[in-house]
Amino acid sequence: MLIIEVKNLTKKYEYYKKAPGLLASVKSLFHREKLYTKAVDNISFSVEEGELVGFLGPNGAGKTTTLKMLSGILYPTSGEARVLGYTPWERKKQYQKQFAIVMGQKNQLWWDLPAMDSFILNKEIYEVPDAQFKQTVDELAELLEIKDILDVQVRKLSLGQRMKCELIAALLHQPKVLFLDEPTIGLDVVSQQKMREFIKTYNEQKKTTILLTSHYMEDVEALCKRIIIIDHGQILYDGALADLMEKYVDHKVLTVTFTKAVERGDLEKYGEIKESAPFRALLHIPKTEVKKSAAAILTKLPVDDILIDEVPVEEVIRKIFTAHR
Amino acid sequence: MRRYFRILKVLVRVSFIRDIVFRGAFYIDLFHAVLWLGLFFLVIEVFFSHTESIVGWTKGNLIVLLGIWSLLDDLASGTFWEGVKRIPTLVADGNMDFILTRPVDSQFLIAAERFRFSRVIPLIADIALISYGLSIGSIGSLWTILLGFPIVIIAGYLTVLSVFYLLHTLGFWFLRIDNIWALYEGIENIGKYPLDVFGRHIKLVSLTVVPLTVMFTLPAEALVGFLSGAEVINALLVSALFLWLTRKFYQYSVRRYSSVA
C-alpha cells in the first residue's frame, strides 16, 4: 500500500538581493530586487507502507524542504502530495495525529523543564490514553536507555540524551509515518550507533513508514535499503542502495602491504594505482578482474597483507553529485 | 472542546511550575506592576488637586478607568501576552514548525503557551483600585453592572487579545520585529485616559481603527454609569469583527511561513 505519493512537487522561495555596503543598504530601503530559487524542482516519488527510505543530498539540495512540505509546514509552489491519503498542507487534524517529525537541529521540548512535562502535553494534544502513554514512555525509555533522565531539566541533558527524548515525544502517539531530519547530527559515535539501532528496531517492530535525511553515510548504509538522491531540488537517483553500487561502481579497492619494497612499475599491470609507497599500495581493480589480480599479486609480489574492499558509498554519491554539477 | 481544556490545564500547570522555578523573575515582575500602578495613582492625585473633573470624568471615575485599564493589561499579560509575543521570534527562528504540525489549533497553542502567575497580586490590587474609585465617585445602576459590565469587559478582553495578536502576526511579513509589543504598549497607554481629552480625531480612531474605547473606556463607563445600550452593541460588534479579522489575517499570514533550514 502506498503511504506517500509525490507528483511534480515544486517549491520556489522568493528572496531579495542584498548588495553589500552602506549605499546599497540605503538604496534597498526604496527598491529591492526580488529573486527566486527553486528548492525543490518537480520531484515525484512514492513510498510503500513500512519502508525506510533515505533521502540524501548536500546542503541546500531540497531534502528538508521536501520533508517540510510532506509534514504540512510549508505550502508547495506547485505539484501534489498525498500522505496517508491526505494533502499535508491542508493540515487536517486527522493527518497530523498520524505522523511525526523529528528535526536534529530543532527542539520541541521545553528546555527549562523535565522532558516528562513535554510528554504530558503531547499526550493531551494527541489524545493518548493514560495506559498507552505509560506503556509507550516505559518501553521507549527502556529501549533508548534513558529511564533515569526523564525527570531532569532538558537544558541539563547532553545532546544525545536530548535527541532520545525528542524521539520519545514524537513517537508517543505511535505515528504511522515518521519524518526524521538529520536525527544523528552532532551526536558522538556511540550515540549515533544507539540512535541507528533504535530507528531500525522501531521500523521493524512497528512497521512505521520512515523518511530519513542524513549527512552521515553510516546512517544510510545501516538503515536504508532504498535511497533517493536529490541535488539542486531534482531527484538524481531513486532505488535500492545495492543497485546504486551495482550501477555506478565497476571496481573494487585493493590495499596491499609488502614485506619488501615494491616498485610502482610492478603494480601497474594489475589496475589503476591510487596510492603508492615502497611498502604499501592502493589499487582500483575492475570487479571482473579482482580475483585473478589478487591471486597474481599474492604469488608474484612479497605480500604481507591484502585487503579487498567495496568502494565506500560516500565516494559513489560524491561522484554522482560532482557529475551532476 | 474538552481536549482543549485538558491541554489548557497542562499549560497552566507547567506555567506555574516555571514561575516557581524562576522566582527572581516572579518577584521583579510583581514589583514592576505594583510600582507602575502606584506612580499613575500619584499622577491622578496631582491632577485632581487642581480641578474637580476632566472632560466630565471625576477623580473617582478616572480611578475606575485606571483600574479597568490596569485590570485588562494584567489579564492580558497574565494569560496570552507571553505566548503571542513569541510569534516574530518563532517565525524568524523557524520554530513555528512544531506548532504547525500539531493536531491542535496553532493560534490557540501559541496564545496559551505561557501564563504568568505574578499577575495575580496586581489583579487583586486592580480590583481594590476599582472599588476605591467607585466608593468616591459615581456608580452605575445594578442592572448596568450585572448585565452590561460582563459583556463589555469580555468584549474589551477579546479586543485587547485581537489587537495584540494582529500586531504580532505581522511577524510573518516582516523579519525581526520582536519588539512590536512596544508599539502595542504605546497604543494601549492612551487607553488609560478619557479619550475626549485628545479631541475628535483620536476619539474617532479609538472607536474604529484601534478600538481603545471598546477595550478600556466602555467597561469603565459601565461601572460609573455612563454606558448606553448602543455602546454595548457596539462593543459586541467591534470585538467580534476584530476576532474575525485576527483569525483571517493569521490564517492568511501562516501561508507565508517559509521556516528556516
Side-chain angles (χ1 to χ4, degrees):
Chain A
M1 192 176 100
L2 283 182
I3 294 291
I4 301 172
E5 289 176 85
V6 175
K7 271 187 207 152
N8 310 115
L9 199 64
T10 297
K11 177 70 187 178
K12 212 157 67 170
Y13 287 114
E14 58 175 56
Y15 62 100
Y16 293 98
K17 194 175 178 181
K18 176 80 184 77
L22 181 65
L23 191 64
S25 296
V26 175
K27 272 184 187 167
S28 73
L29 284 173
F30 305 98
H31 175 75
R32 293 188 300 173
E33 190 185 343
K34 199 184 263 186
L35 301 170
Y36 297 93
T37 180
K38 266 187 184 171
V40 172
D41 188 3
N42 203 31
I43 63 167
S44 302
F45 65 91
S46 56
V47 180
E48 291 279 344
E49 186 174 11
E51 258 193 294
L52 201 168
V53 179
F55 223 53
L56 286 177
N59 289 333
K63 311 180 296 283
T64 305
T65 302
T66 308
L67 245 55
K68 284 180 179 172
M69 283 192 280
L70 295 181
S71 53
I73 295 168
L74 299 178
Y75 285 76
T77 309
S78 63
E80 291 168 36
R82 305 281 286 172
V83 185
L84 295 162
Y86 295 94
T87 303
W89 43 93
E90 284 176 1
R91 297 190 188 133
K92 294 260 168 64
K93 305 292 172 232
Q94 298 96 310
Y95 170 55
Q96 291 177 318
K97 278 188 178 182
Q98 297 184 68
F99 83 90
I101 183 164
V102 176
M103 291 183 250
Q105 308 199 55
K106 282 181 185 167
N107 192 357
Q108 71 157 317
L109 305 170
W110 282 310
W111 68 280
D112 51 349
L113 293 170
M116 189 51 102
D117 283 313
S118 298
F119 297 167
I120 292 169
L121 176 69
N122 275 13
K123 171 189 176 294
E124 297 303 343
I125 286 176
Y126 289 95
E127 296 181 280
V128 181
D130 289 348
Q132 187 192 320
F133 173 74
K134 194 182 172 317
Q135 192 196 333
T136 313
V137 171
D138 286 349
E139 196 183 303
L140 296 177
E142 183 81 53
L143 211 59
L144 289 162
E145 299 170 12
I146 51 164
K147 270 198 136 173
D148 51 337
I149 55 133
L150 296 182
D151 294 327
V152 178
Q153 281 177 315
V154 171
R155 67 191 168 100
K156 290 182 180 162
L157 301 178
S158 69
L159 183 62
Q161 290 171 324
R162 187 177 66 71
M163 271 315 293
K164 288 174 180 175
C165 291
E166 290 279 346
L167 261 180
I168 295 183
L171 298 175
L172 276 177
H173 59 290
Q174 302 186 343
K176 288 183 182 158
V177 176
L178 180 60
F179 299 116
L180 295 173
D181 188 22
E182 315 268 1
T184 54
I185 199 161
L187 302 186
D188 61 58
V189 186
V190 179
S191 301
Q192 278 184 22
Q193 182 60 27
K194 286 254 182 259
M195 194 65 88
R196 271 178 221 132
E197 281 167 11
F198 173 80
I199 294 167
K200 192 167 188 170
T201 312
Y202 193 83
N203 171 251
E204 283 167 3
Q205 283 179 358
K206 309 278 180 187
K207 303 288 172 226
T208 308
T209 308
I210 301 177
L211 207 54
L212 166 110
T213 77
S214 181
H215 276 120
Y216 299 122
M217 288 317 302
E218 291 94 330
D219 286 353
V220 178
E221 283 183 274
L223 296 169
C224 311
K225 287 196 181 92
R226 177 183 162 197
I227 56 167
I228 295 174
I229 301 178
I230 186 170
D231 192 20
H232 287 102
Q234 292 177 325
I235 291 180
L236 304 183
Y237 177 83
D238 179 359
L241 185 58
D243 291 349
L244 175 88
M245 299 302 284
E246 195 63 41
K247 188 178 171 186
Y248 287 93
V249 182
D250 56 359
H251 64 273
K252 289 200 178 191
V253 181
L254 229 76
T255 312
V256 197
T257 46
F258 305 106
T259 49
K260 286 181 196 160
V262 172
E263 293 287 318
R264 191 183 169 96
D266 296 336
L267 294 164
E268 273 167 353
K269 56 187 168 191
Y270 300 111
E272 191 187 344
I273 301 167
K274 287 290 172 183
E275 285 173 36
S276 171
F279 289 92
R280 187 177 177 277
L282 198 142
L283 297 110
H284 281 185
I285 299 175
K287 274 181 181 175
T288 48
E289 307 279 318
V290 171
K291 279 184 192 168
K292 207 169 75 183
S293 300
I297 291 171
L298 277 168
T299 50
K300 291 180 183 165
L301 299 172
V303 175
D304 180 37
D305 194 12
I306 186 163
L307 285 170
I308 305 171
D309 289 315
E310 293 288 346
V311 176
V313 183
E314 204 164 325
E315 200 178 308
V316 179
I317 289 168
R318 199 184 311 127
K319 255 187 196 170
I320 296 173
F321 290 142
T322 317
H324 183 240
R325 280 161 195 203
Chain B
M1 204 57 169
R2 273 172 64 190
R3 182 163 72 108
Y4 278 82
F5 276 116
R6 283 204 302 271
I7 295 171
L8 202 59
K9 212 172 108 184
V10 174
L11 292 170
V12 169
R13 188 185 69 88
V14 164
S15 295
F16 186 67
I17 296 169
R18 287 167 126 181
D19 270 2
I20 291 172
V21 171
F22 300 106
R23 280 186 311 174
F26 180 88
Y27 291 126
I28 290 169
D29 211 20
L30 196 70
F31 175 71
H32 177 258
V34 174
L35 183 74
W36 276 108
L37 199 64
L39 278 175
F40 197 74
F41 192 73
L42 265 175
V43 172
I44 290 181
E45 284 294 334
V46 173
F47 280 170
F48 284 95
S49 62
H50 299 286
T51 180
E52 286 293 307
S53 76
I54 299 170
V55 287
W57 290 69
T58 63
K59 180 180 167 187
N61 296 157
L62 211 57
I63 288 172
V64 172
L65 177 62
L66 170 67
I68 290 288
W69 176 87
S70 183
L71 181 91
L72 281 163
D73 182 61
D74 287 327
L75 265 178
S77 50
T79 50
F80 59 80
W81 181 286
E82 286 296 319
V84 178
K85 221 167 91 172
R86 297 177 306 148
I87 294 177
T89 317
L90 287 172
V91 174
D93 298 346
N95 284 324
M96 279 293 288
D97 291 2
F98 290 116
I99 292 172
L100 293 176
T101 53
R102 288 173 163 177
V104 67
D105 187 272
S106 58
Q107 239 186 317
F108 161 80
L109 206 57
I110 291 169
E113 218 261 347
R114 189 81 161 90
F115 293 87
R116 280 161 69 190
F117 287 87
S118 56
R119 294 283 129 178
V120 172
I121 294 171
L123 274 170
I124 295 167
D126 297 333
I127 293 167
L129 193 66
I130 294 166
S131 308
Y132 171 67
L134 290 173
S135 72
I136 61 164
S138 60
I139 187 162
S141 71
L142 192 63
W143 286 113
T144 321
I145 291 174
L146 287 180
L147 287 177
F149 178 70
I151 295 173
V152 289
I153 192 85
I154 291 169
Y157 176 78
L158 293 177
T159 315
V160 169
L161 167 67
S162 303
V163 172
F164 198 69
Y165 225 120
L166 270 172
L167 279 176
H168 284 80
T169 304
L170 290 172
F172 286 99
W173 298 81
F174 306 103
L175 266 185
R176 293 285 168 213
I177 51 163
D178 311 27
N179 54 353
I180 191 127
W181 59 268
L183 175 64
Y184 172 80
E185 274 200 346
I187 297 167
E188 188 199 45
N189 271 324
I190 303 171
K192 62 182 158 192
Y193 304 98
L195 293 162
D196 296 305
V197 170
F198 299 105
R200 272 176 50 208
H201 298 300
I202 293 281
K203 176 93 184 188
L204 189 67
V205 170
S206 78
L207 279 165
T208 52
V209 187
V210 187
L212 287 167
T213 306
V214 175
M215 287 152 77
F216 307 108
T217 318
L218 295 188
E221 283 187 359
L223 291 180
V224 299
F226 298 168
L227 189 73
S228 69
E231 282 175 322
V232 176
I233 294 166
N234 177 45
L236 282 173
L237 289 177
V238 168
S239 60
L241 175 72
F242 268 81
L243 267 181
W244 180 81
L245 268 177
T246 305
R247 184 79 181 157
K248 290 291 160 196
F249 185 53
Y250 175 83
Q251 286 171 343
Y252 181 62
S253 303
V254 110
R255 292 181 67 100
R256 283 183 59 89
Y257 179 62
S258 57
S259 188
V260 174

